[in-house]
PDB file of all heavy atoms in Angstrom:
ATOM      1  N   ASP A   1     107.577  98.212 125.284  1.00  0.00           N
ATOM      2  CA  ASP A   1     108.421  99.220 125.936  1.00  0.00           C
ATOM      3  C   ASP A   1     109.506  99.690 125.004  1.00  0.00           C
ATOM      4  O   ASP A   1     110.390 100.390 125.444  1.00  0.00           O
ATOM      5  CB  ASP A   1     108.954  98.646 127.241  1.00  0.00           C
ATOM      6  CG  ASP A   1     107.993  98.737 128.440  1.00  0.00           C
ATOM      7  OD1 ASP A   1     106.948  99.485 128.270  1.00  0.00           O
ATOM      8  OD2 ASP A   1     108.220  98.081 129.405  1.00  0.00           O
ATOM      9  N   LYS A   2     109.460  99.334 123.778  1.00  0.00           N
ATOM     10  CA  LYS A   2     110.529  99.718 122.777  1.00  0.00           C
ATOM     11  C   LYS A   2     109.975 100.878 121.952  1.00  0.00           C
ATOM     12  O   LYS A   2     108.903 100.880 121.432  1.00  0.00           O
ATOM     13  CB  LYS A   2     110.883  98.534 121.878  1.00  0.00           C
ATOM     14  CG  LYS A   2     111.508  97.391 122.623  1.00  0.00           C
ATOM     15  CD  LYS A   2     111.920  96.319 121.633  1.00  0.00           C
ATOM     16  CE  LYS A   2     112.626  95.197 122.317  1.00  0.00           C
ATOM     17  NZ  LYS A   2     113.079  94.108 121.337  1.00  0.00           N
ATOM     18  N   PRO A   3     110.781 101.921 121.896  1.00  0.00           N
ATOM     19  CA  PRO A   3     110.324 103.190 121.087  1.00  0.00           C
ATOM     20  C   PRO A   3     110.625 103.100 119.700  1.00  0.00           C
ATOM     21  O   PRO A   3     111.665 102.665 119.227  1.00  0.00           O
ATOM     22  CB  PRO A   3     111.073 104.274 121.773  1.00  0.00           C
ATOM     23  CG  PRO A   3     112.395 103.602 122.183  1.00  0.00           C
ATOM     24  CD  PRO A   3     112.040 102.193 122.572  1.00  0.00           C
ATOM     25  N   MET A   4     109.679 103.688 118.901  1.00  0.00           N
ATOM     26  CA  MET A   4     109.852 104.092 117.567  1.00  0.00           C
ATOM     27  C   MET A   4     109.993 105.579 117.645  1.00  0.00           C
ATOM     28  O   MET A   4     109.098 106.251 118.077  1.00  0.00           O
ATOM     29  CB  MET A   4     108.650 103.787 116.655  1.00  0.00           C
ATOM     30  CG  MET A   4     108.389 102.375 116.402  1.00  0.00           C
ATOM     31  SD  MET A   4     106.893 102.196 115.393  1.00  0.00           S
ATOM     32  CE  MET A   4     107.400 100.840 114.357  1.00  0.00           C
ATOM     33  N   VAL A   5     111.151 106.090 117.283  1.00  0.00           N
ATOM     34  CA  VAL A   5     111.419 107.477 117.446  1.00  0.00           C
ATOM     35  C   VAL A   5     111.201 108.147 116.033  1.00  0.00           C
ATOM     36  O   VAL A   5     111.807 107.778 115.077  1.00  0.00           O
ATOM     37  CB  VAL A   5     112.919 107.749 117.998  1.00  0.00           C
ATOM     38  CG1 VAL A   5     113.180 109.259 117.996  1.00  0.00           C
ATOM     39  CG2 VAL A   5     113.141 107.098 119.259  1.00  0.00           C
ATOM     40  N   LEU A   6     110.331 109.170 116.092  1.00  0.00           N
ATOM     41  CA  LEU A   6     110.058 109.893 114.860  1.00  0.00           C
ATOM     42  C   LEU A   6     111.018 111.082 114.892  1.00  0.00           C
ATOM     43  O   LEU A   6     110.908 111.905 115.749  1.00  0.00           O
ATOM     44  CB  LEU A   6     108.641 110.387 114.753  1.00  0.00           C
ATOM     45  CG  LEU A   6     107.499 109.344 115.035  1.00  0.00           C
ATOM     46  CD1 LEU A   6     106.153 109.963 114.844  1.00  0.00           C
ATOM     47  CD2 LEU A   6     107.723 108.154 114.104  1.00  0.00           C
ATOM     48  N   THR A   7     111.906 111.199 113.866  1.00  0.00           N
ATOM     49  CA  THR A   7     112.898 112.329 113.942  1.00  0.00           C
ATOM     50  C   THR A   7     113.329 112.693 112.508  1.00  0.00           C
ATOM     51  O   THR A   7     113.007 112.024 111.509  1.00  0.00           O
ATOM     52  CB  THR A   7     114.086 111.795 114.713  1.00  0.00           C
ATOM     53  OG1 THR A   7     115.139 112.868 114.824  1.00  0.00           O
ATOM     54  CG2 THR A   7     114.719 110.584 114.102  1.00  0.00           C
ATOM     55  N   THR A   8     114.047 113.812 112.501  1.00  0.00           N
ATOM     56  CA  THR A   8     114.567 114.339 111.197  1.00  0.00           C
ATOM     57  C   THR A   8     116.032 114.005 111.056  1.00  0.00           C
ATOM     58  O   THR A   8     116.712 114.101 110.029  1.00  0.00           O
ATOM     59  CB  THR A   8     114.497 115.853 111.121  1.00  0.00           C
ATOM     60  OG1 THR A   8     115.166 116.426 112.209  1.00  0.00           O
ATOM     61  CG2 THR A   8     113.047 116.277 111.075  1.00  0.00           C
ATOM     62  N   LYS A   9     116.726 113.445 112.140  1.00  0.00           N
ATOM     63  CA  LYS A   9     118.111 113.133 112.175  1.00  0.00           C
ATOM     64  C   LYS A   9     118.432 111.674 111.952  1.00  0.00           C
ATOM     65  O   LYS A   9     117.909 110.831 112.699  1.00  0.00           O
ATOM     66  CB  LYS A   9     118.687 113.605 113.507  1.00  0.00           C
ATOM     67  CG  LYS A   9     118.596 115.104 113.745  1.00  0.00           C
ATOM     68  CD  LYS A   9     119.306 115.464 114.982  1.00  0.00           C
ATOM     69  CE  LYS A   9     119.198 116.931 115.265  1.00  0.00           C
ATOM     70  NZ  LYS A   9     118.195 117.342 116.206  1.00  0.00           N
ATOM     71  N   VAL A  10     119.369 111.405 111.031  1.00  0.00           N
ATOM     72  CA  VAL A  10     119.819 110.097 110.802  1.00  0.00           C
ATOM     73  C   VAL A  10     121.080 109.982 111.689  1.00  0.00           C
ATOM     74  O   VAL A  10     121.998 110.836 111.647  1.00  0.00           O
ATOM     75  CB  VAL A  10     120.237 109.830 109.303  1.00  0.00           C
ATOM     76  CG1 VAL A  10     120.816 108.457 109.166  1.00  0.00           C
ATOM     77  CG2 VAL A  10     119.024 110.025 108.417  1.00  0.00           C
ATOM     78  N   GLU A  11     121.079 108.943 112.514  1.00  0.00           N
ATOM     79  CA  GLU A  11     122.267 108.709 113.418  1.00  0.00           C
ATOM     80  C   GLU A  11     122.847 107.327 113.139  1.00  0.00           C
ATOM     81  O   GLU A  11     122.164 106.479 112.557  1.00  0.00           O
ATOM     82  CB  GLU A  11     121.831 108.780 114.886  1.00  0.00           C
ATOM     83  CG  GLU A  11     121.487 110.274 115.257  1.00  0.00           C
ATOM     84  CD  GLU A  11     121.197 110.419 116.694  1.00  0.00           C
ATOM     85  OE1 GLU A  11     121.566 109.521 117.524  1.00  0.00           O
ATOM     86  OE2 GLU A  11     120.478 111.388 117.058  1.00  0.00           O
ATOM     87  N   GLU A  12     124.075 107.139 113.545  1.00  0.00           N
ATOM     88  CA  GLU A  12     124.746 105.836 113.350  1.00  0.00           C
ATOM     89  C   GLU A  12     123.992 104.827 114.164  1.00  0.00           C
ATOM     90  O   GLU A  12     123.565 105.041 115.355  1.00  0.00           O
ATOM     91  CB  GLU A  12     126.176 105.974 113.899  1.00  0.00           C
ATOM     92  CG  GLU A  12     126.995 104.678 113.644  1.00  0.00           C
ATOM     93  CD  GLU A  12     128.382 104.724 114.244  1.00  0.00           C
ATOM     94  OE1 GLU A  12     128.894 105.852 114.476  1.00  0.00           O
ATOM     95  OE2 GLU A  12     128.992 103.585 114.385  1.00  0.00           O
ATOM     96  N   GLU A  13     123.726 103.671 113.536  1.00  0.00           N
ATOM     97  CA  GLU A  13     122.908 102.623 114.146  1.00  0.00           C
ATOM     98  C   GLU A  13     123.622 101.862 115.179  1.00  0.00           C
ATOM     99  O   GLU A  13     124.505 100.925 114.879  1.00  0.00           O
ATOM    100  CB  GLU A  13     122.342 101.678 113.027  1.00  0.00           C
ATOM    101  CG  GLU A  13     121.458 102.367 112.031  1.00  0.00           C
ATOM    102  CD  GLU A  13     120.939 101.420 110.980  1.00  0.00           C
ATOM    103  OE1 GLU A  13     121.536 100.368 110.752  1.00  0.00           O
ATOM    104  OE2 GLU A  13     119.998 101.822 110.273  1.00  0.00           O
ATOM    105  N   VAL A  14     123.344 102.095 116.480  1.00  0.00           N
ATOM    106  CA  VAL A  14     123.897 101.317 117.550  1.00  0.00           C
ATOM    107  C   VAL A  14     122.727 100.918 118.444  1.00  0.00           C
ATOM    108  O   VAL A  14     122.177 101.696 119.206  1.00  0.00           O
ATOM    109  CB  VAL A  14     124.942 102.210 118.340  1.00  0.00           C
ATOM    110  CG1 VAL A  14     125.465 101.447 119.498  1.00  0.00           C
ATOM    111  CG2 VAL A  14     126.007 102.728 117.478  1.00  0.00           C
ATOM    112  N   GLY A  15     122.393  99.639 118.285  1.00  0.00           N
ATOM    113  CA  GLY A  15     121.166  99.099 119.090  1.00  0.00           C
ATOM    114  C   GLY A  15     119.880  99.493 118.498  1.00  0.00           C
ATOM    115  O   GLY A  15     118.801  99.208 119.060  1.00  0.00           O
ATOM    116  N   PHE A  16     119.822 100.232 117.382  1.00  0.00           N
ATOM    117  CA  PHE A  16     118.605 100.639 116.749  1.00  0.00           C
ATOM    118  C   PHE A  16     118.802 100.585 115.211  1.00  0.00           C
ATOM    119  O   PHE A  16     119.925 100.559 114.783  1.00  0.00           O
ATOM    120  CB  PHE A  16     118.081 101.989 117.241  1.00  0.00           C
ATOM    121  CG  PHE A  16     119.019 103.175 116.845  1.00  0.00           C
ATOM    122  CD1 PHE A  16     118.889 103.785 115.601  1.00  0.00           C
ATOM    123  CD2 PHE A  16     119.968 103.570 117.723  1.00  0.00           C
ATOM    124  CE1 PHE A  16     119.715 104.838 115.285  1.00  0.00           C
ATOM    125  CE2 PHE A  16     120.815 104.688 117.359  1.00  0.00           C
ATOM    126  CZ  PHE A  16     120.663 105.249 116.115  1.00  0.00           C
ATOM    127  N   LYS A  17     117.704 100.708 114.472  1.00  0.00           N
ATOM    128  CA  LYS A  17     117.779 100.813 113.016  1.00  0.00           C
ATOM    129  C   LYS A  17     117.113 102.081 112.541  1.00  0.00           C
ATOM    130  O   LYS A  17     116.080 102.485 113.148  1.00  0.00           O
ATOM    131  CB  LYS A  17     117.068  99.662 112.370  1.00  0.00           C
ATOM    132  CG  LYS A  17     117.601  98.239 112.565  1.00  0.00           C
ATOM    133  CD  LYS A  17     118.849  97.936 111.703  1.00  0.00           C
ATOM    134  CE  LYS A  17     118.512  97.853 110.215  1.00  0.00           C
ATOM    135  NZ  LYS A  17     119.591  97.829 109.349  1.00  0.00           N
ATOM    136  N   ASN A  18     117.636 102.648 111.514  1.00  0.00           N
ATOM    137  CA  ASN A  18     117.052 103.824 110.873  1.00  0.00           C
ATOM    138  C   ASN A  18     116.120 103.360 109.652  1.00  0.00           C
ATOM    139  O   ASN A  18     116.559 102.488 108.939  1.00  0.00           O
ATOM    140  CB  ASN A  18     118.117 104.807 110.248  1.00  0.00           C
ATOM    141  CG  ASN A  18     118.857 105.545 111.374  1.00  0.00           C
ATOM    142  OD1 ASN A  18     118.223 106.106 112.217  1.00  0.00           O
ATOM    143  ND2 ASN A  18     120.169 105.467 111.313  1.00  0.00           N
ATOM    144  N   TYR A  19     115.045 103.901 109.491  1.00  0.00           N
ATOM    145  CA  TYR A  19     114.113 103.680 108.354  1.00  0.00           C
ATOM    146  C   TYR A  19     113.573 104.970 107.807  1.00  0.00           C
ATOM    147  O   TYR A  19     113.322 105.895 108.617  1.00  0.00           O
ATOM    148  CB  TYR A  19     112.925 102.769 108.719  1.00  0.00           C
ATOM    149  CG  TYR A  19     113.256 101.373 109.182  1.00  0.00           C
ATOM    150  CD1 TYR A  19     113.445 101.085 110.557  1.00  0.00           C
ATOM    151  CD2 TYR A  19     113.452 100.345 108.282  1.00  0.00           C
ATOM    152  CE1 TYR A  19     113.787  99.823 110.917  1.00  0.00           C
ATOM    153  CE2 TYR A  19     113.754  99.089 108.680  1.00  0.00           C
ATOM    154  CZ  TYR A  19     113.950  98.827 110.017  1.00  0.00           C
ATOM    155  OH  TYR A  19     114.215  97.554 110.400  1.00  0.00           O
ATOM    156  N   SER A  20     113.385 105.102 106.560  1.00  0.00           N
ATOM    157  CA  SER A  20     112.675 106.174 105.972  1.00  0.00           C
ATOM    158  C   SER A  20     111.189 106.116 106.254  1.00  0.00           C
ATOM    159  O   SER A  20     110.534 105.052 106.015  1.00  0.00           O
ATOM    160  CB  SER A  20     112.878 106.235 104.473  1.00  0.00           C
ATOM    161  OG  SER A  20     111.935 107.065 103.826  1.00  0.00           O
ATOM    162  N   LEU A  21     110.591 107.088 106.874  1.00  0.00           N
ATOM    163  CA  LEU A  21     109.192 107.110 107.235  1.00  0.00           C
ATOM    164  C   LEU A  21     108.338 106.927 105.978  1.00  0.00           C
ATOM    165  O   LEU A  21     107.288 106.211 106.033  1.00  0.00           O
ATOM    166  CB  LEU A  21     108.774 108.432 107.913  1.00  0.00           C
ATOM    167  CG  LEU A  21     107.383 108.549 108.379  1.00  0.00           C
ATOM    168  CD1 LEU A  21     106.954 107.402 109.290  1.00  0.00           C
ATOM    169  CD2 LEU A  21     107.097 109.859 109.082  1.00  0.00           C
ATOM    170  N   LYS A  22     108.781 107.460 104.843  1.00  0.00           N
ATOM    171  CA  LYS A  22     107.996 107.400 103.618  1.00  0.00           C
ATOM    172  C   LYS A  22     107.865 105.950 103.143  1.00  0.00           C
ATOM    173  O   LYS A  22     106.877 105.478 102.627  1.00  0.00           O
ATOM    174  CB  LYS A  22     108.700 108.176 102.556  1.00  0.00           C
ATOM    175  CG  LYS A  22     107.813 109.215 101.798  1.00  0.00           C
ATOM    176  CD  LYS A  22     108.633 109.976 100.818  1.00  0.00           C
ATOM    177  CE  LYS A  22     108.266 111.405 100.832  1.00  0.00           C
ATOM    178  NZ  LYS A  22     108.992 112.306  99.988  1.00  0.00           N
ATOM    179  N   LYS A  23     108.985 105.139 103.225  1.00  0.00           N
ATOM    180  CA  LYS A  23     109.050 103.859 102.610  1.00  0.00           C
ATOM    181  C   LYS A  23     108.849 102.714 103.595  1.00  0.00           C
ATOM    182  O   LYS A  23     108.856 101.501 103.187  1.00  0.00           O
ATOM    183  CB  LYS A  23     110.375 103.723 101.858  1.00  0.00           C
ATOM    184  CG  LYS A  23     110.636 104.738 100.791  1.00  0.00           C
ATOM    185  CD  LYS A  23     112.054 104.586 100.220  1.00  0.00           C
ATOM    186  CE  LYS A  23     112.277 105.708  99.280  1.00  0.00           C
ATOM    187  NZ  LYS A  23     113.684 105.933  98.936  1.00  0.00           N
ATOM    188  N   VAL A  24     108.784 103.011 104.868  1.00  0.00           N
ATOM    189  CA  VAL A  24     108.811 101.900 105.862  1.00  0.00           C
ATOM    190  C   VAL A  24     107.578 100.982 105.763  1.00  0.00           C
ATOM    191  O   VAL A  24     106.443 101.463 105.554  1.00  0.00           O
ATOM    192  CB  VAL A  24     108.885 102.431 107.311  1.00  0.00           C
ATOM    193  CG1 VAL A  24     107.614 103.205 107.739  1.00  0.00           C
ATOM    194  CG2 VAL A  24     109.215 101.418 108.314  1.00  0.00           C
ATOM    195  N   ASP A  25     107.852  99.714 105.906  1.00  0.00           N
ATOM    196  CA  ASP A  25     106.766  98.657 106.056  1.00  0.00           C
ATOM    197  C   ASP A  25     106.602  98.581 107.640  1.00  0.00           C
ATOM    198  O   ASP A  25     107.328  97.798 108.267  1.00  0.00           O
ATOM    199  CB  ASP A  25     107.171  97.318 105.452  1.00  0.00           C
ATOM    200  CG  ASP A  25     106.152  96.221 105.668  1.00  0.00           C
ATOM    201  OD1 ASP A  25     105.313  96.398 106.554  1.00  0.00           O
ATOM    202  OD2 ASP A  25     106.168  95.283 104.885  1.00  0.00           O
ATOM    203  N   LEU A  26     105.624  99.277 108.155  1.00  0.00           N
ATOM    204  CA  LEU A  26     105.487  99.388 109.592  1.00  0.00           C
ATOM    205  C   LEU A  26     105.194  98.027 110.271  1.00  0.00           C
ATOM    206  O   LEU A  26     105.771  97.687 111.335  1.00  0.00           O
ATOM    207  CB  LEU A  26     104.325 100.368 109.858  1.00  0.00           C
ATOM    208  CG  LEU A  26     104.538 101.276 111.113  1.00  0.00           C
ATOM    209  CD1 LEU A  26     105.828 101.869 111.209  1.00  0.00           C
ATOM    210  CD2 LEU A  26     103.412 102.334 111.082  1.00  0.00           C
ATOM    211  N   ALA A  27     104.376  97.235 109.642  1.00  0.00           N
ATOM    212  CA  ALA A  27     104.056  95.876 110.217  1.00  0.00           C
ATOM    213  C   ALA A  27     105.275  95.061 110.408  1.00  0.00           C
ATOM    214  O   ALA A  27     105.496  94.458 111.415  1.00  0.00           O
ATOM    215  CB  ALA A  27     102.998  95.167 109.414  1.00  0.00           C
ATOM    216  N   LYS A  28     106.197  95.120 109.360  1.00  0.00           N
ATOM    217  CA  LYS A  28     107.392  94.355 109.382  1.00  0.00           C
ATOM    218  C   LYS A  28     108.338  94.944 110.481  1.00  0.00           C
ATOM    219  O   LYS A  28     108.993  94.126 111.252  1.00  0.00           O
ATOM    220  CB  LYS A  28     108.104  94.549 108.018  1.00  0.00           C
ATOM    221  CG  LYS A  28     109.099  93.502 107.706  1.00  0.00           C
ATOM    222  CD  LYS A  28     109.576  93.757 106.227  1.00  0.00           C
ATOM    223  CE  LYS A  28     110.375  92.691 105.692  1.00  0.00           C
ATOM    224  NZ  LYS A  28     110.781  92.941 104.312  1.00  0.00           N
TER     225      LYS A  28
END
C-alpha cells in the first residue's frame, strides 16, 4: 500500500525519499 510516485518535481523529504529514476536500484 506504499506508493512509488513517478514525478518531475523534487520536494523536501518528509516521510518519503527522493531518488533519481535514472540511477535508482529499484530492488533496494
Side-chain angles (χ1 to χ4, degrees):
D1 281 342
K2 294 181 178 182
M4 290 181 144
V5 179
L6 311 182
T7 182
T8 57
K9 296 183 180 103
V10 178
E11 292 184 18
E12 186 182 341
E13 296 178 347
V14 179
F16 66 86
K17 293 280 294 166
N18 288 310
Y19 294 94
S20 161
L21 181 56
K22 232 179 222 176
K23 299 174 187 163
V24 71
D25 178 341
L26 217 43
K28 201 174 188 178

